[in-house]
Amino acid sequence: MEKLSYASESGTSAWNTYLQQIDRVAPYLGELSRWIDTLRHPKRALIVDIPLQMDDGTIRHFEGFRVQHNLSRGPGKGGIRYHPDVDLNEVMALSAWMTIKCAAVNLPYGGAKGGIRVDPFSLSEGELERLTRRYTSEIGLIIGPQRDIPAPDVGTNGKVMAWMMDTYSMNHGTTITGVVTGKPIHLGGSLGREKATGRGVFVTGREVAGRAGIGIEGAKIAVQGFGNVGSEAARLFAEAGARVIAIQDHTATLFNADGIDLTALSAWQNSHKQIAGFPGAQNIDSEAFWTVEMDIFIPAALEGQITRQRAEKLSCKLVLEGANGPTYPDADDILKARGITVVPDVICNAGGVTVSYFEWVQDMASFFWSEEEINARMDKIMTDAMVHVWDKAAEKECTLRTAAYIVACERILMARKDRGIYPG
């Protein structure tokens, strides 16, 4: 059996975590619960072999995946991840979370996800391009602008999306920009896309902080992950008057009680390709990060970071899930018992897929918006979705995560119910 990623000491996998979340929402769904098994089964899972000629002439084989979890509300939407720990279990869970996320924000998409088990940094650019093009050809059977629209994720970027778009287009004999999102601007990409996920974390966090009576001015922020999501969320909170006192990534854990200079840290990261060694903060033990005195915590790295033990240590009042699936269900229970509000990933980090939707719409119309228009549209969608989830949580007397799942599952299962089963 292949090694499962995202596993706790008790062996809980990403897919099992998702199933537990579905089990928790089932009692709230009334007559729609008849259809809930729809959400426990991916619609389609494709595993592909990717042979690759390396620069030295040798042939290596890599395993790739594309999972379409649910397409009841529209074409699949979800990223492509290049990482050594990618496996079917993880991709299934990530595709399912995309189903919930798109429905929670009310985008006309289903959920999908893909990936290749590979360390992209171990390949030359030529090898990475050949890997991407072969993978795109293999999953070309099931993707398309009206079927399933990939996007960047961990280990991929706009350049990878350009290769995917070009490969798909060449195989169809015409340029089809809408087959992927997250492309370079000059190839049909959208302004504001790169920073959208981090901006969404800030927008939803600001809304919930205001409703929960947590002041942002002077608030102490800790961020795990300093990529596109963590760095942008940190920057926006700092601009709003908060102090970012701790930042952790796979290279270091930085702490400065007076606040970390984010501009200087970004410059250091750009030149050194890591945050380790940054002179503007002290390096502390990685587990000490979880005991730092903070008001708002933003996990924006990989999934499965907030364990039961770490949840007992956190001193924050608010958790904003910039990453997908960062909190285990048993840790969720501890945070709830301790009075810590969690803004769940399926709402909190949905800014990226929201602007991906804008990119897809712009590509289909060949008409593009300004960054100001995009930010304004995204802020409204994210704020409206957050308010709806907040109100649902108050109505059902449940957590924001359960409320987000109620909202999303009602929309998905209503679509499934009204579409019916074919053939009957």
Side-chain angles (χ1 to χ4, degrees), residues 15 18-19 21-23 25 29 36 38-40 69-71 73 77 92-107 109-112 324 344-350 353 385 389 400-413:
W15 179 248
Y18 163 75
L19 292 178
Q21 292 167 343
I22 293 299
D23 289 343
V25 78
L29 297 177
I36 199 165
T38 297
L39 298 171
R40 296 190 175 109
H69 173 258
N70 186 279
L71 305 179
R73 302 184 71 249
K77 191 78 190 78
M92 283 169 54
L94 292 169
S95 71
W97 283 322
M98 284 301 300
T99 298
I100 301 297
K101 185 183 301 184
C102 291
V105 189
N106 207 19
L107 301 179
Y109 286 140
N324 290 314
D345 48 1
V346 293
I347 284 286
C348 193
N349 68 31
V353 71
V389 168
L400 292 177
R401 188 184 312 279
T402 298
Y405 272 69
I406 293 171
V407 170
C409 290
E410 285 178 344
R411 288 171 175 161
I412 298 160
L413 298 182

Side-chain angles (χ1 to χ4, degrees), residues 13-78:
S13 70
W15 179 248
N16 285 334
T17 294
Y18 163 75
L19 292 178
Q20 289 180 53
Q21 292 167 343
I22 293 299
D23 289 343
R24 292 182 178 210
V25 78
Y28 296 92
L29 297 177
E31 64 176 18
L32 287 175
S33 62
R34 172 174 179 249
W35 296 88
I36 199 165
D37 268 358
T38 297
L39 298 171
R40 296 190 175 109
H41 300 275
K43 177 179 178 60
R44 184 177 291 118
L46 180 63
I47 303 174
V48 298
D49 172 53
I50 309 164
L52 177 66
Q53 180 169 307
M54 310 300 288
D55 290 343
D56 64 4
T58 61
I59 305 296
R60 291 182 61 190
H61 287 253
F62 297 86
E63 194 167 36
F65 309 88
R66 187 67 182 177
V67 175
Q68 295 167 348
H69 173 258
N70 186 279
L71 305 179
S72 295
R73 302 184 71 249
K77 191 78 190 78

Side-chain angles (χ1 to χ4, degrees), residues 226-248:
F226 201 65
N228 285 343
V229 180
S231 62
E232 180 64 11
R235 183 185 70 82
L236 291 171
F237 273 107
E239 285 185 359
R243 276 184 296 146
V244 180
I245 60 166
I247 296 175
Q248 181 183 77

